Amino acid sequence: MMGRGTILLLIVGALGAYYFYIPLPDNLEETWKVLWMHTHMKTLTNLGLFVEFLGMNHFMISAKFLMNFQEVPPTSDENVSVMETTFDNIPVRVYLPKRKSEMLRRGLFYIHGGGWCLGSAALLTYDVLSRKTAERLDAIVISTDYRLAPEYHFPNQFEDVYNVLKWFLHQDVLERYGVDAERIGVAGDSAGGNLAAAVVQQLRDDPDVKVKIKIQVLVYPALQTLDFDSPSYRENGHFPLFTKSLTVRAWSEYFTTDRSLEKAMLSNQHVPLESSHLFKFVNWSSLLPERFTKGHVYNNPTFGGSELSKKYPGFLDVRAAPLLADDSKLRGLPVTYILTCQYDVLRDDGVMYATRLRNAGVRVTHNHIEDGFHGALFSHELKIGSRTENQYISWLSENL
Ligand SMILES: *[C@@H]1O[C@H](CO)[C@@H](O)[C@H](O)[C@H]1NC(C)=O
Ligand SMILES: *[C@@H]1O[C@H](CO)[C@@H](O)[C@H](O)[C@H]1NC(C)=O
């Protein structure tokens, strides 16, 4: 006979395993660590959603509060000086290599991720990456902040980043930091990759800016708001760490705190008929190579959201969704590095942009990580983290 204690233990164990365990693909390394990170993240997410459900705190405010603990002060080390300053009244961190240099240095402008709601240049992960980049490339790294949702919505995030970048590109600022105007890159991950792609597109046609950006680096970027039912959304909607529901929540928060936009986006019925011409820019049935589309049937769009798009026109704006740019706007963009991960809802955004840029004659290096997932570049506790980081830094080193 099993005692009551044993039965209770079995039930708790089964519930625990149900919560903890999710099937993961065979080619993923260190699955237990990934599951552990997933459980941690899921618990915090559920806690945040519960607090929001009780009407106490907006979900992103709770998430921001928890993330603040991961911020570090700007501390110089033996190789790199780290300073905080402002460019056009927006806080930035500047990483300056200490070793002497007779020549002007390369410059990298970095934009952090966090779904337009979270994150800062001060987060440990970003601080570590910027420091390493400055040291290994002997380059100046500018890591920028920008205003975040839910307090601020589009176009504030975009405009902050754009203004900081333009400030940095002034002749006298470049001279002050000893930066070579012909060797400047713009990089970002996730929402930062979105902002990087957007500012690089806008810069191309800005008569005020004389400097030509040499490279853009888009790490698992979010690039389109039209179709949340592409193969990568279908396949990875529940993948650990970064789900479709979180992604769509972040996208909708970029434009408004009104949850009706999120609801419409989740059912993929948020684009009005008047905007049907935009779908060709995100038509994955023609823009993805077959290995990504196989087994998936393309459904022509369902229209809706006329009211929503009048209230929140930002979600159809090319500065928010760089994949919506016309081909003529893609020509002449800088040499591009796009990193995508197989197990990421945003995978197809990056792959489609690679296709469209190549079709427009832009030189693109597409690094697709077969066993990767969203956040791989910053998974320092995993082998995939250092592998991805080395690939990222080597490419920068050779192309910037
Ligand atoms: C500084 O550079 C030296 C030489 O490359 C290296 O051995 C050392 O680990 C670096 N220090 C830090 C704090 O990264
Ligand atoms: C998408 O592309 C497919 C074929 O490549 C085509 O049949 C379909 O009409 C296109 N849909 C839209 C909305 O552009």
Side-chain angles (χ1 to χ4, degrees):
M1 278 288 283
M2 278 194 278
R4 247 199 276 173
T6 320
I7 292 174
L8 194 68
L9 203 67
L10 278 176
I11 293 173
V12 170
L15 283 176
Y18 175 74
Y19 187 72
F20 185 74
Y21 183 76
I22 37 145
L24 288 175
D26 292 337
N27 65 340
L28 214 68
E29 288 179 330
E30 302 176 282
T31 39
W32 282 105
K33 281 194 197 164
V34 175
L35 279 177
W36 176 246
M37 288 159 64
H38 164 70
T39 308
H40 187 79
M41 173 100 169
K42 186 167 154 185
T43 307
L44 291 178
T45 304
N46 286 343
L47 205 64
L49 289 172
F50 185 63
V51 167
E52 182 172 71
F53 170 77
L54 296 179
M56 287 160 67
N57 244 343
H58 187 282
F59 173 69
M60 293 297 180
I61 302 281
S62 304
K64 228 175 268 195
F65 172 78
L66 290 172
M67 255 193 190
N68 281 345
F69 293 105
Q70 321 232 0
E71 294 193 342
V72 292
T75 316
S76 301
D77 63 33
E78 51 183 312
N79 303 322
V80 183
S81 299
V82 184
M83 318 184 285
E84 263 173 352
T85 178
T86 58
F87 283 5
D88 203 15
N89 296 318
I90 294 155
V92 297
R93 264 185 198 205
V94 182
Y95 297 80
L96 298 163
K98 280 187 178 167
R99 85 180 83 131
K100 290 236 177 331
S101 174
E102 299 301 314
M103 298 198 309
L104 293 174
R105 289 192 158 100
R106 300 183 276 184
L108 185 71
F109 184 82
Y110 197 89
I111 310 160
H112 71 78
W116 309 275
C117 300
L118 305 169
S120 71
L123 285 181
L124 177 66
T125 46
Y126 291 114
D127 186 72
V128 167
L129 184 69
S130 298
R131 201 178 282 275
K132 260 190 213 167
T133 312
E135 194 202 320
R136 299 257 301 267
L137 269 65
D138 192 27
I140 310 289
V141 177
I142 307 292
S143 181
T144 190
D145 282 343
Y146 47 91
R147 284 172 295 170
L148 299 169
E151 291 90 345
Y152 300 97
H153 299 286
F154 177 84
N156 287 307
Q157 286 81 339
F158 167 84
E159 282 176 350
D160 282 0
V161 173
Y162 198 54
N163 292 339
V164 177
L165 178 57
K166 281 177 77 168
W167 183 272
F168 175 53
L169 296 179
H170 283 146
Q171 195 54 43
D172 53 332
V173 178
L174 294 179
E175 270 168 29
R176 189 184 326 146
Y177 292 106
V179 176
D180 182 347
E182 292 182 354
R183 301 179 78 183
I184 296 174
V186 176
D189 64 289
S190 197
N194 163 274
L195 290 161
V199 294
V200 165
Q201 281 183 4
Q202 297 304 310
L203 217 51
R204 173 187 170 277
D205 300 319
D206 191 326
D208 301 342
V209 182
K210 301 282 173 281
V211 174
K212 245 178 104 77
I213 297 294
K214 187 172 183 197
I215 58 160
Q216 63 173 336
V217 176
L218 313 176
V219 177
Y220 30 77
L223 297 170
Q224 61 89 23
T225 42
L226 259 53
D227 190 351
F228 297 111
D229 192 37
S230 74
S232 60
Y233 273 101
R234 292 181 192 174
E235 291 168 13
N236 306 303
H238 296 284
F239 197 83
L241 306 171
F242 193 70
T243 57
K244 173 174 173 175
S245 64
L246 270 182
T247 311
V248 172
R249 177 80 195 258
W251 262 125
S252 65
E253 292 287 347
Y254 191 16
F255 309 106
T256 173
T257 331
D258 171 357
R259 304 283 299 267
S260 58
L261 180 60
E262 178 193 7
K263 242 176 104 186
M265 283 175 161
L266 279 170
S267 60
N268 221 28
Q269 297 185 7
H270 54 294
V271 182
L273 184 61
E274 309 89 88
S275 303
S276 59
H277 62 287
L278 296 176
F279 274 96
K280 62 176 181 292
F281 298 134
V282 300
N283 187 340
W284 54 261
S285 114
S286 53
L287 293 170
L288 290 182
E290 203 199 308
R291 68 178 167 126
F292 296 113
T293 56
K294 64 170 183 289
H296 293 283
V297 177
Y298 184 82
N299 297 319
N300 275 313
T302 315
F303 299 104
S306 243
E307 288 305 309
L308 285 171
S309 67
K310 278 193 198 86
K311 275 206 242 161
Y312 315 114
F315 78 86
L316 297 170
D317 192 311
V318 67
R319 295 169 303 163
L323 251 177
L324 302 184
D326 196 79
D327 288 340
S328 64
K329 298 272 176 198
L330 300 180
R331 277 179 217 124
L333 284 181
V335 171
T336 302
Y337 178 85
I338 297 182
L339 189 147
T340 55
C341 293
Q342 180 65 16
Y343 307 113
D344 179 2
V345 289
L346 297 177
R347 176 191 76 201
D348 297 341
D349 285 22
V351 181
M352 286 194 278
Y353 203 41
T355 305
R356 293 205 52 215
L357 288 173
R358 279 182 182 140
N359 291 347
V362 175
R363 215 180 89 209
V364 179
T365 301
H366 178 199
N367 181 12
H368 182 64
I369 316 272
E370 286 293 347
D371 58 345
F373 46 86
H374 201 79
L377 178 60
F378 296 102
S379 302
H380 299 296
E381 52 285 82
L382 303 177
K383 287 186 211 143
I384 196 168
S386 38
R387 178 154 48 94
T388 313
E389 187 184 85
N390 283 333
Q391 291 168 359
Y392 164 86
I393 290 186
S394 306
W395 190 87
L396 277 176
S397 174
E398 283 159 27
N399 292 279
L400 181 55

